[in-house]
């Protein structure tokens, strides 16, 4: 059978057919909004507010408090995985970091910069925007233990910490920023035992 001899061509033809059908369905409006492939993002065009270095200042506070912050990364609109940096509905500054007390082998999302490996600091234009983002993240994590990160608010600053950090370690971060815990509907699950 020829399909066995030319598997690369069969796969290529199948991909072309699938893309053609999807494209035609989208053009005809047969796909619902949720099914429609995402339009390519042009990050530079979407930046609508000034990107600042405020998150780096907050990270320095954590370091000067003696917290084991390492592998920090300052995000840009092009590198922000959430695509909210510099947008009117997003944050003005973002930095990610790792904490060596998190066992990377237990972490489901262990890509560099992942909240699960340590944490993320996001700085917003105002405290209300920070609160809304924190609440949205909490709501999205309901029933998904690996997404049940710890959140702390200090004015316009949202500190998001790995659910793999124990409560004592998370408390030290909270104290360093003088932050309050983001209200949750219940205690954070201990994902370290999952």
């Amino acid at each position: 059978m020829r399909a066995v001899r030319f598997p690369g061509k069969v796969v290529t033809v199948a991909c072309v057919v699938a893309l053609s059908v999807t494209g035609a369905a989208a053009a005809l409006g047969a796909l619902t909004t949720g099914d429609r492939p995402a339009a390519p993002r042009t990050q530079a065009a979407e930046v609508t507010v000034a990107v600042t270095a405020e998150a780096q200042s907050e990270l320095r506070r954590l370091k000067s408090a003696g917290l084991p912050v390492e592998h920090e990364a300052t995000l840009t609109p092009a590198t922000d995985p959430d695509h909210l940096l510099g947008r009117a509905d997003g944050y003005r500054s973002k930095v990610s970091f790792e904490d060596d007390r998190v066992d990377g082998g237990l972490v489901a999302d262990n890509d560099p910069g992942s909240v699960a490996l340590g944490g993320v600091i996001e700085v917003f234009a105002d405290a209300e925007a920070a609160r809304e983002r924190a609440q949205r993240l909490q709501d999205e994590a309901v029933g998904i233990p690996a997404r049940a990160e710890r959140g702390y608010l200090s004015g316009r600053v949202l500190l998001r910490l790995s659910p793999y950090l124990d409560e004592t370690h998370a408390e030290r971060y909270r104290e360093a920023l003088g932050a309050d815990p983001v209200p949750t509907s219940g205690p954070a699950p201990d994902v370290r035992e999952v």
Side-chain angles (χ1 to χ4, degrees), residues 42-91:
T42 53
Q43 294 299 326
E46 292 181 3
V47 174
T48 58
V49 297
V51 175
T52 68
E54 294 167 291
Q56 292 84 343
S57 297
E58 300 300 325
L59 183 70
R60 283 192 292 279
R61 288 177 62 191
L62 298 179
K63 286 181 170 183
S64 39
L67 291 162
V69 171
E70 59 185 17
H71 305 293
E72 63 264 15
T74 300
L75 283 86
T76 67
T79 61
D80 178 25
D82 298 322
H83 307 290
L84 295 172
L85 183 57
R87 293 181 50 156
D89 61 343
Y91 29 82

Side-chain angles (χ1 to χ4, degrees), residues 12-150:
T12 302
V13 169
C15 288
V16 168
V17 169
L19 288 172
S20 298
V21 169
T22 302
L28 295 172
L31 291 177
T32 65
T33 305
D35 298 333
R36 202 165 294 196
R41 291 185 172 266
T42 53
Q43 294 299 326
E46 292 181 3
V47 174
T48 58
V49 297
V51 175
T52 68
E54 294 167 291
Q56 292 84 343
S57 297
E58 300 300 325
L59 183 70
R60 283 192 292 279
R61 288 177 62 191
L62 298 179
K63 286 181 170 183
S64 39
L67 291 162
V69 171
E70 59 185 17
H71 305 293
E72 63 264 15
T74 300
L75 283 86
T76 67
T79 61
D80 178 25
D82 298 322
H83 307 290
L84 295 172
L85 183 57
R87 293 181 50 156
D89 61 343
Y91 29 82
R92 300 161 38 131
S93 186
K94 182 174 182 177
V95 63
S96 66
F97 60 89
E98 294 180 16
D99 182 311
D100 64 5
R101 297 171 293 192
V102 173
D103 180 354
L106 295 177
V107 176
D109 177 14
N110 60 4
D111 292 331
S114 167
V115 171
L117 292 174
V120 167
I121 299 170
E122 299 169 349
V123 182
F124 295 80
D126 58 55
E128 182 59 29
R131 270 192 303 281
E132 287 174 4
R133 166 83 165 148
Q135 193 57 56
R136 191 168 48 254
L137 290 167
Q138 292 293 325
D139 292 346
E140 290 171 0
V142 171
I144 308 171
R147 292 195 57 198
E149 61 193 44
R150 290 180 169 86

